């Protein structure tokens, strides 16, 4: 298949390109930085220079690429630019979808999140409604996710990957990442809030497998949703950082997500079924 990966240079995208190429796909990686084209080409893909906010250039770029599938892994979360990230989810996704629809692309695979569900007991499954009544600042996140997930349904086939919290190379949880640095400084308190994690390698693998998955949302998370009081001390220890401060709080929507659908219906098997092993592996400092 001819596949355009929007977000080809990101934490997920750069792991995804070689997987797609190994499977024999013709891959076109998109970047909006001339300087990052070489990394895409070195991975064996064709580089496409386009800014998702430039509707016309994006449309021309997709027309020239003529993909069968578009994979949407665009964020501005690496740089922690949250307002731009919301704009990417809303306006960027609309632009990408409009360009894809215009040339008759059949399938889109898009990155969403698994912590947008409304509060409730237990790990959320895909049929739990999204948290539409959330107050700010969470409301902005939810609005972005709602817009993204709605926009992609304009394509006949649309797989929405509701990813867990990424860790691994190139993420906030990498040894040199934003959260790891905060944990070293004891700035992240351990709470009762529950997080579902996901190694980025598993995020990339799921995007590859989603080429054959049915339309709709699917949680892509590890097997072990965990309270902050459980995972944070393990993370800190693996990092060689001091233990966290503990506070007995947590948001009611921090409930984790269930991967039952991905595992049992789609046959997805994470390489890192639990953050316990994943943290240790990804935080092991090079000797
Ligand atoms: N889902 C989660 O778990 C979550 C939650 C919070 C934070 N984070 C953090 O956010 C990062 C997520 O990784 P990721 O792979 O999703 O994202 P990423 O590493 O931030 O990569 C984003 C991709 O989007 C592209 N992009 C951004 N703006 C663009 C624009 N205007 N036009 C075209 N392309 C654009 C970038 O391409 P160019 O720059 O090459 O143009 C890049 O390839 C990790 O660091 C993770 O720790 C993740």
């Amino acid at each position: 298949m001819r596949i355009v990966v929007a977000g080809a240079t990101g934490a997920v995208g750069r792991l995804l390109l070689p997987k797609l190429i190994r499977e024999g796909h013709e891959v076109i990686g998109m970047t909006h930085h001339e300087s990052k084209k070489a990394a895409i080409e070195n991975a064996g893909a064709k580089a496409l220079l386009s800014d998702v906010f430039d509707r016309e250039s994006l449309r021309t770029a997709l027309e020239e690429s003529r993909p069968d599938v578009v994979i949407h892994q665009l964020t501005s979360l690496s740089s922690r630019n949250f307002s731009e990230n919301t704009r990417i989810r809303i306006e960027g996704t609309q632009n990408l979808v409009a360009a894809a629809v215009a040339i008759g692309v059949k399938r889109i695979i898009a990155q969403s999140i698994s912590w947008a569900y409304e509060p409730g007991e237990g790990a959320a499954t895909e049929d739990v409604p999204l948290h539409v009544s959330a107050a700010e600042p969470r409301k902005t996140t939810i609005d972005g996710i709602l817009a993204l997930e709605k926009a992609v349904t304009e394509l006949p086939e649309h797989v929405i990957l509701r990813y867990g919290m990424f860790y691994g190379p190139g993420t906030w949880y990498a040894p040199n990442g934003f959260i790891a640095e905060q944990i070293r400084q004891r700035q992240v308190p351990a709470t009762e809030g529950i997080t579902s994690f996901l190694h980025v390698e598993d995020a990339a693998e799921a995007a590859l497998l989603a080429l054959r998955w049915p339309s709709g949302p699917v949680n892509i998370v590890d097997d072990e949703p965990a309270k902050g009081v459980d995972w944070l001390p393990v993370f800190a220890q693996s990092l060689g950082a001091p233990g966290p401060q503990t506070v007995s709080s947590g948001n009611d929507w921090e409930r984790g997500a269930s991967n039952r659908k991905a595992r049992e219906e789609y046959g997805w098997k994470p390489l890192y079924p639990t953050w316990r092993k994943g943290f240790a592996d990804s935080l092991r400092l090079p000797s």
Side-chain angles (χ1 to χ4, degrees), residues 70-165:
V70 170
I71 302 184
H72 174 355
Q73 295 284 356
L74 300 165
T75 82
S76 60
L77 288 171
S78 283
S79 54
R80 291 188 291 117
N81 187 338
F82 298 106
S83 57
E84 184 166 298
N85 196 54
T86 299
R87 196 176 159 220
I88 287 178
R89 282 179 176 152
I90 300 173
E91 186 184 332
T93 305
Q94 277 168 3
N95 290 347
L96 192 61
V97 165
V101 166
I103 56 163
V105 175
K106 270 183 74 183
R107 171 168 289 246
I108 189 164
I109 295 164
Q111 172 180 153
S112 184
I113 58 172
S114 63
W115 57 94
Y117 292 108
E118 65 181 24
E121 283 304 308
T125 55
E126 293 81 353
D127 44 19
V128 170
L130 298 185
H131 195 182
V132 290
S133 62
E136 292 292 3
R138 178 163 164 80
K139 181 180 185 314
T140 301
T141 303
I142 303 296
D143 288 349
I145 290 299
L146 285 166
L148 179 150
E149 293 198 356
K150 181 164 186 288
V152 299
T153 64
E154 285 180 42
L155 273 83
E157 299 173 8
H158 43 270
V159 185
I160 297 163
L161 302 169
R162 291 183 176 163
Y163 283 143
M165 186 62 72

Side-chain angles (χ1 to χ4, degrees), residues 5-14 30-37 40 48-54 58 72-80 82 84-85 87-89 92 111-115 162-174 177-179 196-198 200:
V5 178
T9 61
V12 178
R14 74 183 82 131
M30 185 172 129
T31 174
H32 73 314
H33 290 111
E34 178 74 40
S35 61
K36 295 193 192 171
K37 282 170 70 178
I40 294 172
L48 178 67
L49 189 65
S50 185
D51 187 324
V52 79
F53 297 127
D54 183 343
L58 183 65
H72 174 355
Q73 295 284 356
L74 300 165
T75 82
S76 60
L77 288 171
S78 283
S79 54
R80 291 188 291 117
F82 298 106
E84 184 166 298
N85 196 54
R87 196 176 159 220
I88 287 178
R89 282 179 176 152
Q111 172 180 153
S112 184
I113 58 172
S114 63
W115 57 94
R162 291 183 176 163
Y163 283 143
M165 186 62 72
F166 292 152
Y167 68 92
T171 72
W172 290 3
Y173 290 77
F178 167 67
I179 293 285
S196 279
F197 282 99
L198 182 71
V200 269

